[in-house]
Structure formats: C-alpha cells, structure tokens
Amino acid sequence: MKKEHKVIVRFAPSPTGPLHIGGARTALFNYIFTKQHGGSFILRIEDTDKERSEKKYEEDIFSGLKWLGIKPDDIYRQSERTDIYQKHLTTLIKSGAAYVSREPKKITNTTTPPFGHPSSTEEGMIEVVRFKNPNKRVSFQDIVRGEVSFDTTELKDFVIAKSVSEPLYHLAVVVDDFEMGVTHIIRGEDHISNTARQILIQESIGAPRPAYAHLPLILAPDRSKLSKRKHGESVSLAHYRNAEIAPEAMVNFLALLGWHPSGDASEVLSWSDLLQHFSLERVQKGGAMLDSNKLNWLNKQYAKQPR
Ligand code: GLU
C-alpha cells in the first residue's frame, strides 16, 4: 500500500437494535485491517430512520466497541449530515442523473425498512427521488469473493430519497463513503447485492470506487441464519459481556468467525497476534458457524493467563 493512499474504513451500524454479533465481527475485521495499514476507523451511526433509531442502541454500540477495545478515530451520525446529502441530490437532479417522481403510493418501490415509507403529498400520491438507472452490468472485485457481477436492469429507476432532504440508505451510504474518503468497504455478505446500486450512484457523483470485502454470514450451529427470534439473546454482543466472557476471548472468537490463521498456528490469538497474522485474503466465502463451545474454551485459555 502506497503512503499517499491512507487506508480509511468505516463501521456503519444502524442503531435500531442492540449491537449484533455479526456487527461486532464486521467492526473488528475493519479495525484490525486498518490498524495493520496505519489507517483510520470511522464509526458512522446510520440513523436516518427516525422511527426505528434509538439512543439506547447507539449507546449499546459505543459501549460494545469500547468493551472489545475498538477505538474509533472519528464518529459521525447521518442524522446530522442532511445538508450534505441534499447538496448531492440537488446536483444529481440538475444533471438528470436522478429525478423527482410524483406517483401513486402503491407502485412505489422504495427500499422498505429500515427507512419506512415515503411521505404523502396528497391522498394516495407521493413524491420520491428516483435514480435514472443506466441499465448496465456492474462488476467489481471483492477481496473475499473474487469477481462479482450484477445486471442492474431489473433494479429499474430505484428510489434514492423520499425528498431532497430525506435520503434513503443507498444514497446516504455512497455520499458518506465518498465524503469521508473511505478506501475499503468491509461489511457483511447481506450487503453484496446493495453494492451494484451503490456503484451506480458512485459513478454518477464522480466518486472513486473503494475496495470491497464482503464477510461471510454467521450461522447458528444448525447452519440456519442467526435470528433474534430463533436464537434469542445470543445474537447480541451484550449477551457475552453479561455472561462474563473476557473481552480478549471475545475478540479472539470473533476473529475466527470467517478467518483462520494459516498452517497449524494456534487459534489462541491476542490482539498483537491478530494484528500480525490477520488478512482479508484468508477470509472464507462460506458461512461461519457460531460455536459456543469454542468461545467457552477460548475464555478458559484467557482465564489461565496472568493479567
Ligand atoms: N447501516 C447498514 C447496516 O446497519 C450498513 C451499511 C454498510 O455497511 O454499507 O446494516
């Protein structure tokens, strides 16, 4: 990595629930990667959904990261950046890359939650901002998954804002990643299909394309997708904190959710081992199994060590 391209990563949780174990893993991988490159770590609270965002969840994110030992270099809240999104939306509309569309409520395909429904202007009619889809194939190199390619035609002219002052997820993310100089987007695989839309918006605002790494899903021991409904509190980081797991053991455990050291190296890895050995290139594509026996075993290893 050349000196002039300082690495900048971001962890961008929505404060709509307690910090999820998958979110904690995303934060950790970003943090290790950026520290390996002398870069910085942005914590960006994605709180544009006013109805679902809550301060208590934001606090849970802050305290969870602190417990793990992850210190953000900068913190932003999307709710405080409306004028920046507005500036970009206005430019997009002026250039014809986006347009205001007045339409009957029922045909609107806004990104549904976490952003809720568009505002009504009169009974049954709404106004939204749609992105003029150039209808092309978008391909990108993913550090974990290799070449990924999407035909964007089926996305049609997708909605990017409820109004010029109310951006939706895709627009806010792209504008922020650009304005914050983010060089690497490391996030969960559930976002991979969002990348095509985001690259189209990037190209229309003239933003450089960051590197992408989509991390494998975390699966329950029965290989089903982790869900709060099915797996209860074990999906949130606070559960482990309350269970008196040592933070070092948790960091070690999270690091092994989708990554392994090479050869027969020990799986007991301190912060400094992780900073030395971790690499995004060794992150696996397949789902990572959440194995509480391994966590308990790791926790015992740390309990044995003098503090
Ligand atoms: N705010 C999104 C989420 O909570 C993440 C956005 C991103 O990483 O691009 O899932």
Side-chain angles (χ1 to χ4, degrees):
M1 191 81 42
K2 286 199 217 110
K3 263 258 149 35
E4 58 266 32
H5 296 297
K6 185 185 169 197
V7 167
I8 301 179
V9 300
R10 78 322 189 259
F11 172 50
S14 304
T16 53
L19 179 55
H20 192 276
I21 189 155
R25 192 267 314 256
T26 296
L28 179 67
F29 282 27
N30 272 287
Y31 192 69
I32 296 173
F33 175 78
T34 204
K35 292 299 151 194
Q36 286 178 321
H37 293 93
S40 60
F41 176 96
I42 292 170
L43 170 59
R44 187 169 75 219
I45 302 292
E46 303 212 320
D47 57 353
T48 48
D49 180 351
K50 294 185 196 79
E51 282 108 66
R52 294 180 64 231
S53 297
E54 288 189 44
K55 269 281 171 239
K56 66 174 183 195
Y57 296 134
E58 188 182 298
E59 274 148 26
D60 186 64
I61 294 164
F62 290 149
S63 68
L65 293 183
K66 193 167 172 208
W67 177 65
L68 290 172
I70 295 176
K71 299 171 208 70
D73 296 293
D74 294 292
I75 300 175
Y76 298 95
R77 279 184 197 85
Q78 286 191 327
S79 57
E80 292 164 3
R81 298 171 57 77
T82 313
D83 49 339
I84 302 171
Y85 310 126
Q86 187 156 354
K87 183 188 86 185
H88 282 278
L89 271 167
T90 309
T91 311
L92 286 175
I93 294 169
K94 274 201 188 123
S95 73
Y99 58 93
V100 176
S101 170
R102 192 159 176 281
E103 49 198 63
K105 207 170 185 172
K106 58 181 183 305
I107 65 152
T108 306
N109 69 353
T110 45
T111 315
T112 34
F115 290 100
H117 299 290
S119 49
S120 288
T121 48
E122 69 182 56
E123 203 56 58
M125 295 295 281
I126 49 158
E127 253 181 23
V128 292
V129 183
R130 286 188 181 270
F131 181 75
K132 189 142 184 35
N133 188 342
N135 295 324
K136 60 176 196 175
R137 182 160 278 281
V138 165
S139 304
F140 63 95
Q141 280 300 324
D142 189 278
I143 299 169
V144 176
R145 316 196 68 82
E147 163 132 346
V148 180
S149 187
F150 288 100
D151 176 7
T152 65
T153 314
E154 67 199 42
L155 301 173
K156 309 233 170 51
D157 287 355
F158 54 90
V159 177
I160 53 173
K162 293 199 252 179
S163 68
V164 274
S165 55
E166 290 173 285
L168 291 171
Y169 165 65
H170 293 295
L171 182 94
V173 162
V174 171
V175 165
D176 279 345
D177 289 337
F178 174 45
E179 296 274 349
M180 295 171 189
V182 170
T183 57
H184 293 73
I185 294 183
I186 304 167
R187 60 184 176 186
E189 194 190 305
D190 45 329
H191 286 291
I192 202 155
S193 64
N194 293 333
T195 308
R197 283 185 185 81
Q198 294 175 8
I199 286 176
L200 291 178
I201 302 173
Q202 252 163 38
E203 290 177 346
S204 72
I205 68 170
R209 186 183 298 186
Y212 286 97
H214 285 91
L215 309 176
L217 294 178
I218 300 177
L219 304 175
D222 64 0
R223 300 206 71 81
S224 65
K225 197 171 177 269
L226 270 193
S227 79
K228 174 119 199 240
R229 192 177 47 80
K230 248 180 101 180
H231 304 103
E233 295 307 315
S234 69
V235 303
S236 63
L237 186 72
H239 168 77
Y240 302 91
R241 201 171 153 186
N242 297 337
E244 296 191 6
I245 295 289
E248 300 88 338
M250 195 67 204
V251 164
N252 193 157
F253 178 67
L254 290 172
L256 295 173
L257 287 175
W259 172 83
H260 283 91
S262 57
D264 51 10
S266 166
E267 285 199 320
V268 183
L269 298 150
S270 65
W271 267 111
S272 76
D273 297 329
L274 291 172
L275 289 170
Q276 199 181 333
H277 298 297
F278 178 83
S279 80
L280 283 177
E281 284 74 17
R282 285 190 56 80
V283 171
Q284 73 198 42
K285 291 198 193 73
M289 194 110 75
L290 192 70
D291 175 1
S292 56
N293 293 329
K294 181 176 246 173
L295 175 59
N296 292 332
W297 178 79
L298 282 170
N299 201 40
K300 287 203 188 88
Q301 307 309 306
Y302 285 90
K304 279 186 210 152
Q305 289 174 11
R307 301 230 179 158

